[in-house]
Amino acid sequence: MNERQTSDVRWVQLVERVRSGRDQRAFAELFGHFAPRVKAFLMKSGADASLAEECAQEVMATVWHKAHLFDPERASVATWVFTIARNRRIDALRKQRRPEPEDLPWGPEHEPDQSETIALQQESEQLGRALAALPDNQRMLIERAYFGELSHSEIAAETGLPLGTIKSRIRLALERLRHEMK
């Protein structure tokens, strides 16, 4: 047995001792070996030192609590530990990208001024007239696609029309609407 295989067997034995007897000495040895390596791994993947330290602590806590889930037939201890580390890093990134409740805007929304309201109302009326001026077969498809939020395929299934016909009619209708809205 070479040195690497010997150390792999040793790590498996330590995890088994943690799993079966909550052996703190075995865990301390695992922690002493893997925690600094996990921290370095996380820092190389872009985490700052404090986040890497926090994640490394969480990874090792997971090793302690989930030792019963380790299967030496599926992976080495190192692979298992670094997979946990990678997953913690992904979770930390997701958490950073998610706005905290205090970052969300609260309170009354911006009230549009009177000129914005009038312009929007005029535009809506113009669109209504343009829609009414469309041929019935085009208007019906536009209404289903944009107001009914149906896909072209769903409209084809509902109406029995070929998909190409639906796409052509919608394209023609949109061109007419663009022309009317200028």
Side-chain angles (χ1 to χ4, degrees):
M1 214 184 288
N2 66 30
E3 188 177 323
R4 180 183 167 111
Q5 290 171 323
T6 305
S7 67
D8 286 348
V9 169
R10 176 79 179 134
W11 301 132
V12 169
Q13 291 170 345
L14 291 172
V15 171
E16 287 174 351
R17 286 174 37 199
V18 169
R19 171 179 43 215
S20 63
R22 291 289 184 213
D23 188 323
Q24 292 182 2
R25 285 195 178 127
F27 180 72
E29 195 172 333
L30 287 166
F31 191 97
H33 178 78
F34 286 105
R37 287 166 176 79
V38 166
K39 181 179 177 183
F41 165 74
L42 293 169
M43 288 178 69
K44 284 180 185 172
S45 69
D48 63 31
S50 65
L51 179 62
E53 178 71 31
E54 183 181 328
C55 284
Q57 295 287 331
E58 289 176 10
V59 167
M60 296 314 295
T62 300
V63 168
W64 173 260
H65 293 292
K66 306 275 181 162
H68 64 281
L69 297 176
F70 173 69
D71 181 359
E73 299 295 318
R74 294 182 60 200
S76 69
V77 172
T79 300
W80 181 60
V81 169
F82 282 96
T83 299
I84 296 169
R86 183 185 65 82
N87 292 340
R88 290 289 176 186
R89 173 73 175 130
I90 290 168
D91 291 344
L93 286 172
R94 285 183 184 145
K95 194 181 235 183
Q96 286 176 341
R97 290 188 185 131
R98 193 175 315 137
E100 292 295 320
E102 61 268 6
D103 294 340
L104 296 174
W106 294 103
E109 291 187 18
H110 163 72
E111 289 289 326
D113 64 13
Q114 190 173 7
S115 64
E116 288 176 356
T117 304
I118 292 171
L120 185 59
Q121 193 173 23
Q122 289 172 343
E123 204 172 272
S124 295
E125 289 170 3
Q126 184 182 8
L127 179 59
R129 286 190 302 273
L131 277 169
L134 287 174
D136 289 341
N137 60 1
Q138 290 178 0
R139 185 178 63 253
M140 178 213 41
L141 295 177
I142 289 290
E143 288 171 349
R144 287 184 176 174
Y146 292 95
F147 301 120
E149 298 182 2
L150 298 175
S151 71
H152 293 176
S153 300
E154 291 170 329
I155 295 170
E158 193 177 279
T159 62
L161 292 170
L163 186 59
T165 302
I166 290 169
K167 289 182 178 193
S168 295
R169 287 182 183 171
I170 288 176
R171 184 176 38 77
L172 289 171
L174 289 174
E175 283 299 318
R176 284 186 174 180
L177 290 174
R178 277 189 207 102
H179 179 72
E180 290 295 322
M181 295 302 289
K182 287 184 180 178

